[in-house]
Amino acid sequence: DSGVTQTPKHLITATGQRVTLRCSPRSGDLSVYWYQQSLDQGLQFLIQYYNGEERAKGNILERFSAQQFPDLHSELNLSSLELGDSALYFCASSVPSGRKETQYFGPGTRLLVL
Amino acid sequence: QQQVKQSPQSLIVQKGGIPIINCAYENTAFDYFPWYQQFPGKGPALLIAIRPDVSEKKEGRFTISFNKSAKQFSLHIMDSQPGDSATYFCAAFSGGYQKVTFGTGTKLQVIP
């Protein structure tokens, strides 16, 4: 168990809908990262938040948005969903530690868009 | 555009063998190269990582070899065990998370 929790575990929805994925980082971790893992695209970094502020942006679509709240939990909002958004969405958290930053991944949310 | 090429896609070795997974990158700005292990139904877990100022790093049975001039790095698993059967991803980072690219993964099966 990495200490990172994600809810829900599974999500089935229809095209055009909007969903919110939630992530609670490990206690004390200030950074939260979101990743998308799909069969055809592999693992892709979406976005990073550090202590409530956006720190880095990866391949995140404009239909997707995220935020990190004062209690450090984070939400990833996916809107106008398309079939191709079906994937595993992982959250990870970390505290920078010297020259090595260790990320701890949550168990993921499996999203299926029908 | 794929910036990290990982091979092979899958690998079967016998227990005790030394599987080797290779990654090649293009962008010389990458400065952090981790390997992740992922079991079915679980999130990836950081296994070992290296920075370009060293050519080799060992942690337990896992070794990263790094060739800066060739822009390649590889993961070696010594004395592999059936419990090592998982998917392994390499990654390359630049400027923290300003640029992050993952390999496509290698599915390793270690047979008893």
Side-chain angles (χ1 to χ4, degrees):
Chain A
D1 184 4
S2 66
V4 178
T5 59
Q6 288 187 248
T7 57
K9 205 164 187 170
H10 302 277
L11 199 47
I12 301 175
T13 188
T15 54
Q17 295 298 304
R18 173 190 167 96
V19 297
T20 297
L21 313 184
R22 183 188 167 102
C23 168
S24 292
R26 295 186 323 147
S27 177
D29 284 358
L30 301 179
S31 279
V32 169
Y33 312 80
W34 286 98
Y35 293 86
Q36 180 192 58
Q37 186 175 39
S38 59
L39 282 174
D40 55 345
Q41 297 275 353
L43 192 61
Q44 291 200 82
F45 165 65
L46 296 179
I47 196 163
Q48 176 199 5
Y49 277 82
Y50 178 82
N51 204 19
E53 292 190 5
E54 183 184 305
R55 179 64 68 90
K57 228 170 185 175
N59 299 322
I60 188 165
L61 299 172
E62 284 191 12
R63 300 184 284 110
F64 297 0
S65 65
Q67 52 183 329
Q68 186 179 27
F69 295 86
D71 67 352
L72 300 178
H73 91 271
S74 178
E75 292 180 357
L76 179 67
N77 300 297
L78 315 176
S79 60
S80 303
L81 284 168
E82 301 175 359
L83 296 177
D85 297 328
S86 296
L88 264 171
Y89 290 85
F90 289 106
C91 164
S93 74
S94 75
V95 171
S97 172
R99 283 166 56 87
K100 180 180 174 181
E101 184 172 316
T102 301
Q103 286 183 67
Y104 296 88
F105 282 76
T109 293
R110 186 175 293 276
L111 173 67
L112 180 59
V113 182
L114 299 175
Chain B
Q1 180 189 359
Q2 185 181 358
Q3 298 189 50
V4 174
K5 292 184 180 177
Q6 183 172 345
S7 63
Q9 198 171 359
S10 62
L11 191 52
I12 301 175
V13 300
Q14 287 210 306
K15 178 183 171 182
I18 306 175
I20 301 173
I21 305 170
N22 301 297
C23 282
Y25 62 97
E26 297 166 3
N27 190 338
T28 54
F30 289 134
D31 58 7
Y32 179 66
F33 303 90
W35 284 92
Y36 295 88
Q37 180 188 57
Q38 185 177 23
F39 292 105
K42 303 286 186 185
L46 179 66
L47 198 57
I48 185 172
I50 198 167
R51 291 193 184 268
D53 52 353
V54 297
S55 60
E56 186 176 275
K57 183 172 181 181
K58 287 183 182 178
E59 285 187 7
R61 295 184 294 108
F62 301 94
T63 299
I64 298 179
S65 297
F66 187 84
N67 186 330
K68 190 173 180 179
S69 59
K71 292 186 283 185
Q72 295 175 349
F73 58 109
S74 58
L75 175 70
H76 301 234
I77 305 176
M78 312 301 286
D79 188 26
S80 58
Q81 301 295 314
D84 296 329
S85 298
T87 299
Y88 293 82
F89 293 93
C90 64
F93 288 65
S94 169
Y97 282 79
Q98 297 309 319
K99 194 113 189 126
V100 179
T101 303
F102 285 83
T104 49
T106 296
K107 189 170 183 180
L108 171 66
Q109 185 180 358
V110 181
I111 54 178

